[in-house]
Amino acid sequence: MGDNPGSRGPESRGAVTAKSRADPVEPRSDDQAGEHHVLTGIVLKIMSVAVFVAMSTCIKAAGTVPAGQIVFFRSFFAIFPIIAFLAFKGNLATAFTTRRPLNHVARGLVGVCAMGLTFFALTRLPLPEAITLNYAQPLLVVVFSSIFLGEAIRVYRWSAVVIGLVGVLIITWPELTLLSSDEALDDQEVLGVAAALVAAAISAVAMLLVRNLVQSERTATIVLWFSVTASVMSLLSLPFGWQSLTPLQAGLLVTAGFCGGLGQILMTAAYRHAEASVVAPFEYTSMILGVVVGYLVFGDITSINTLVGGMIVVAAGLFIIWRERQLGLERTRTRKAALSGG
């Protein structure tokens, strides 16, 4: 991502002024610097998505390990790359400092429940389906923001939520039809779908708690508190049947933990370089990666229901992101008009 001569700005590539001859290092304009940051943010976001898909792949490859045990490995070993990164940045000494420990614990409790159910679903569903069902979360954030926070949600976003949930229904329909058969109680995919949807709902609540925390807490503090809280809370599941792991399973779960921490760092860096409305849509590249990895690693053939429903959910999510951006621009214009009029 260095200076590309082909993207210098409005000047033609062959035009070389006397000033540019005298100054071999031409400073970037504000627009060029902005474009550079946006591109960096997008690349970091796609990298974070790829790392999180690798994390999910490791967890699925480890087999049907108890969810609480997976949560422990995912949370505990995520701490190491995060701490290394903070130490490198010189921010480790104050990373744990907070005046709101109970809020962090509450966020951790909710997050652990969501994570455990997500991992349970991941071990019982094809990888593309497990990833795609998680896209219900941003739709539910809109719903819960209206219910719990009293946010005014206009008809456009409500329409997107309804359409997105129709997409979720299409994805889950093959499993839902099993509920009318004798196989329903024995079908692990039915349990996986139920776990994935409940996880999406609980994760949406966790996002509301994070929204509240970011008003006064730094990202590093939120991430570290969550990782530590989740590690401790997952140990409470130990009496309910952890299993002995093979060296391969242990290696996969440790790798999943490191991937989780690295993915968190990359995702945070992405949002530092570009606005959320620009970066967030690239979250949906995980659907493509999930389909490819699911087929190559696990032999999962993505169903038509998952593809069609997934595209509907993605379209609804993209519309909500676009709508949020438009409302943000509208609020900015309103504030500027009020200031200039005052």
Side-chain angles (χ1 to χ4, degrees):
M1 301 238 267
D3 286 338
N4 183 352
S7 60
R8 287 285 184 179
E11 301 86 10
S12 66
R13 295 183 187 181
V16 181
T17 64
K19 184 178 184 304
S20 66
R21 291 192 191 99
D23 300 317
V25 179
E26 182 181 346
R28 283 196 182 104
S29 67
D30 290 341
D31 288 342
Q32 288 171 325
E35 289 173 5
H36 175 77
H37 280 293
V38 168
L39 182 58
T40 301
I42 290 171
V43 170
L44 287 169
K45 177 63 177 179
I46 294 174
M47 288 173 63
S48 77
V49 169
V51 171
F52 280 127
V53 169
M55 178 196 78
S56 298
T57 302
C58 288
I59 290 171
K60 185 169 179 60
T64 53
V65 178
Q69 194 170 1
I70 299 174
V71 171
F72 173 77
F73 275 87
R74 158 64 180 87
S75 303
F76 181 74
F77 288 98
I79 294 173
F80 294 97
I82 293 172
I83 286 180
F85 177 74
L86 291 174
F88 175 75
K89 299 285 286 185
N91 297 328
L92 185 58
T94 57
F96 278 101
T97 305
T98 180
R99 290 179 294 178
R100 306 175 65 187
L102 294 181
N103 297 72
H104 285 285
V105 171
R107 182 267 189 271
L109 178 61
V110 174
V112 164
C113 293
M115 195 186 291
L117 288 167
T118 298
F119 295 158
F120 177 88
L122 190 60
T123 58
R124 286 160 175 81
L125 291 174
L127 186 64
E129 192 170 329
I131 288 174
T132 305
L133 284 173
N134 194 49
Y135 295 158
Q137 187 228 67
L139 305 176
L140 295 173
V141 168
V142 174
V143 176
F144 293 162
S145 295
S146 175
I147 295 173
F148 299 122
L149 302 182
E151 291 185 7
I153 309 298
R154 300 178 185 178
V155 65
Y156 297 103
R157 281 186 290 169
W158 278 125
S159 301
V161 168
V162 171
I163 292 170
L165 293 179
V166 168
V168 171
L169 182 62
I170 292 172
I171 297 168
T172 59
W173 187 254
E175 278 74 37
L176 292 176
T177 55
L178 287 173
L179 295 174
S180 59
S181 71
D182 294 335
E183 301 175 17
L185 294 177
D186 297 325
D187 192 271
Q188 291 296 307
E189 288 198 357
V190 174
L191 296 176
V193 166
L197 294 178
V198 174
I202 297 175
S203 185
V205 174
M207 287 301 101
L208 297 185
L209 295 175
V210 171
R211 265 195 202 177
N212 179 263
L213 281 170
V214 295
Q215 295 174 12
S216 61
E217 303 289 289
R218 292 169 302 169
T219 301
T221 303
I222 296 172
V223 171
L224 270 182
W225 267 86
F226 174 70
S227 295
V228 173
T229 303
S231 299
V232 173
M233 288 183 174
S234 62
L235 290 173
L236 298 178
S237 67
L238 186 59
F240 297 97
W242 282 24
Q243 67 184 47
S244 57
L245 302 174
T246 65
L248 177 60
Q249 285 178 312
L252 287 168
L253 293 180
V254 170
T255 302
F258 275 93
C259 284
L262 178 59
Q264 194 74 50
I265 293 168
L266 291 169
M267 183 176 67
T268 301
Y271 285 105
R272 289 190 192 282
H273 281 82
E275 293 181 6
S277 58
V278 175
V279 171
F282 290 90
E283 178 70 33
Y284 295 113
T285 56
S286 60
M287 183 178 179
I288 300 170
L289 291 173
V291 169
V292 173
V293 174
Y295 177 75
L296 294 178
V297 178
F298 304 107
D300 294 333
I301 305 296
T302 308
S303 68
I304 295 297
N305 289 71
T306 300
L307 289 174
V308 174
M311 286 188 287
I312 292 174
V313 175
V314 168
L318 290 174
F319 180 81
I320 288 174
I321 292 168
W322 174 82
R323 186 61 183 163
E324 289 290 345
R325 178 173 175 77
Q326 295 301 111
L327 292 173
L329 292 172
E330 185 180 312
R331 285 191 291 267
T332 301
R333 284 194 296 267
T334 303
R335 281 197 299 268
K336 286 181 177 178
L339 289 172
S340 62

